[in-house]
Amino acid sequence: HTLRGHTDAVWSTNFSLDGKMLVTSSRDKTVKVWRVEDGQELITFRGHKDWVACVGWSPDSKTIASMEWNGKMKIWDLTGKELHSFDTHQEPVLAISFNPDGKSIATASRDGTAKLWSFDGRELQTFRGHSNWVMYVNISLDGKTIATSSRDKTAKVWNLDGKELLTLSGHDDTVTSVVFSRDSQTLATGSIDKTVRIWNRKGEQQQILRGHTDGVWGVNFDRNGQTLASSSEDGTVRLWNLEGSDLGYKAVTWRDTEGEEAIWDVNFSPDGQTLGTTGRYMTAKLWNRQGQEQVALQGHQDTVRSLQFSPDGSLIATASRDKTVKLWNLAGKELVTFAGHEAGVRSISFSSDGQTIASASWDTTAKL
């Protein structure tokens, strides 16, 4: 399906948990809900006065939260009724996250704070302590603590009452990302200072992972929490164990005519045995856990912006600036090309049953 209705760029897409609905947000200041089965537009949420930068479902899929670039948040029910509207921050919001308990929402902002909100628009807590932009917010899977990272070169851990529990100090530049392991007992941070650092829940620095030659943009644990992947502006992805050893994994990107390179996207396969990477190059690649290149997915005619594994791990979807989405098997065989976008494809997502793919493009449409 091609979902037409937005009149400006589509910035965010998100499937409901049952896979039957898709919500989209746009620079046209609206949010729309679509039926996946036939692409029918079900609801348009009007009321935002600025670009709608991000949108998400509550864990029970009964309400939707949408966030303007200027920090205005709205909560809606599925009849299109605006339940609540409130200002979250005085500066642009850089990150939003639902609490796993399904009862609150966390935001991070350039105003130097993170905030926790109820679904009825009540500000439950403001987390003050950073002296510069809060770049990222991550809630532990047990729902008891919040981690934030900042341009002030620190990360912090808080309880839900707003009490600062830990300050993770040691980085020499902006801390771009912070994540909890799945058991919530370990944290990892990435920074523009080119390092990844591992911390315990006491705030003690366990390891400094050195090897990147440029800023680190992303860090992610695998499902068992024993391996960490980091992606960097230096054009590499590296794998590390929790003892700080570089596992020898190095995914080097294609270099353009000016020698520039960067890894933009890295994802573990569902079984954790394969990684897929994309970056400032035209080929997506699959790697094993030993850092050996297994498959090169060649066929796109421009930069590959996004790579996703299907939920069962048997298929791979890639999105490219060449205006196409491609589907591949694990052997690197191109199965089908989805052509129809009129501009570069920015991001892709599989539905939970793996039967449908959503794509978002600069041509102002989302397609199924």
Side-chain angles (χ1 to χ4, degrees):
H1 307 297
T2 297
L3 310 183
R4 300 188 184 277
H6 286 297
T7 58
D8 207 331
V10 180
W11 271 22
S12 179
T13 65
N14 207 324
F15 280 101
S16 60
L17 288 180
D18 62 9
K20 295 180 179 180
M21 293 180 289
L22 184 78
V23 64
T24 58
S25 67
S26 171
R27 280 176 46 167
D28 67 8
K29 306 177 186 178
T30 71
V31 173
K32 293 179 182 289
V33 174
W34 314 76
R35 187 164 55 211
V36 170
E37 182 181 8
D38 56 7
Q40 178 69 37
E41 179 182 323
L42 301 177
I43 312 163
T44 296
F45 304 97
R46 303 184 188 277
H48 282 295
K49 297 181 179 179
D50 203 345
W51 302 350
V52 188
C54 52
V55 65
W57 295 90
S58 62
D60 62 6
S61 296
K62 293 182 179 179
T63 53
I64 289 171
S66 54
M67 179 75 74
E68 293 179 8
W69 172 247
N70 64 12
K72 173 78 73 175
M73 181 187 290
K74 293 182 182 290
I75 308 294
W76 317 78
D77 67 19
L78 293 188
T79 69
K81 180 181 178 182
E82 181 180 315
L83 302 177
H84 305 286
S85 178
F86 48 99
D87 291 312
T88 58
H89 297 273
Q90 300 304 309
E91 292 283 345
V93 177
L94 302 180
I96 182 173
S97 176
F98 277 99
N99 191 327
D101 68 6
K103 298 179 180 179
S104 56
I105 303 168
T107 56
S109 172
R110 289 192 348 185
D111 67 9
T113 70
K115 292 178 183 286
L116 192 68
W117 308 86
S118 67
F119 288 138
D120 62 7
R122 289 180 296 114
E123 182 179 319
L124 302 177
Q125 201 56 251
T126 297
F127 304 89
R128 303 182 188 278
H130 286 296
S131 59
N132 210 317
W133 299 0
V134 180
M135 302 290 292
Y136 195 77
V137 61
N138 182 241
I139 303 178
S140 61
L141 285 179
D142 61 16
K144 296 179 179 179
T145 48
I146 291 177
T148 55
S149 66
S150 172
R151 286 183 69 181
D152 68 8
K153 307 178 186 179
T154 72
K156 292 178 182 290
V157 177
W158 322 72
N159 66 19
L160 298 191
D161 295 326
K163 180 181 179 180
E164 182 180 318
L165 304 177
L166 302 170
T167 296
L168 310 181
S169 299
H171 283 293
D172 299 321
D173 209 326
T174 297
V175 184
T176 55
S177 54
V178 57
V179 293
F180 286 100
S181 60
R182 292 183 65 84
D183 65 5
S184 303
Q185 297 305 303
T186 304
L187 295 101
T189 55
S191 171
I192 297 299
D193 70 7
K194 308 175 188 177
T195 69
V196 176
R197 298 176 190 238
I198 297 175
W199 317 76
N200 65 21
R201 283 299 294 267
K202 297 179 180 179
E204 298 168 336
Q205 184 172 281
Q206 303 295 290
Q207 302 292 343
I208 301 177
L209 313 183
R210 304 183 188 276
H212 285 296
T213 58
D214 209 332
V216 177
W217 286 111
V219 289
N220 272 301
F221 285 100
D222 67 356
R223 290 186 65 84
N224 64 23
Q226 299 303 305
T227 304
L228 189 70
S230 58
S231 57
S232 170
E233 186 70 20
D234 69 8
T236 70
V237 169
R238 293 177 181 271
L239 288 188
W240 319 80
N241 63 25
L242 298 193
E243 286 69 49
S245 296
D246 187 333
L247 300 180
Y249 184 100
K250 187 177 181 183
V252 182
T253 73
W254 167 84
R255 295 171 183 261
D256 66 17
T257 55
E258 297 179 353
E260 294 181 345
E261 54 184 18
I263 291 282
W264 287 326
D265 201 10
V266 57
N267 277 289
F268 281 101
S269 61
D271 65 6
Q273 298 305 304
T274 304
L275 284 91
T277 62
T278 69
R280 194 178 285 129
Y281 52 110
M282 293 184 286
T283 302
K285 294 186 178 183
L286 303 183
W287 312 77
N288 65 18
R289 291 289 290 260
Q290 290 71 49
Q292 299 165 328
E293 181 181 325
Q294 301 297 290
V295 178
L297 309 180
Q298 297 178 319
H300 284 296
Q301 302 302 307
D302 206 333
T303 300
V304 183
R305 295 303 303 262
S306 181
L307 178 149
Q308 294 288 325
F309 288 92
S310 62
D312 66 2
S314 66
L315 299 171
I316 301 157
T318 55
S320 172
R321 281 180 175 171
D322 68 8
K323 309 177 186 178
T324 71
V325 172
K326 292 180 182 289
L327 196 64
W328 318 75
N329 65 19
L330 295 185
K333 181 181 178 181
E334 182 181 321
L335 303 177
V336 65
T337 296
F338 304 96
H341 281 295
E342 297 175 3
V345 185
R346 184 80 181 197
S347 62
I348 48 175
S349 177
F350 276 97
S351 61
S352 58
D353 63 4
Q355 298 302 304
T356 307
I357 296 170
S359 59
S361 168
W362 288 114
D363 67 8
T364 74
T365 71
K367 295 179 184 290
L368 298 184

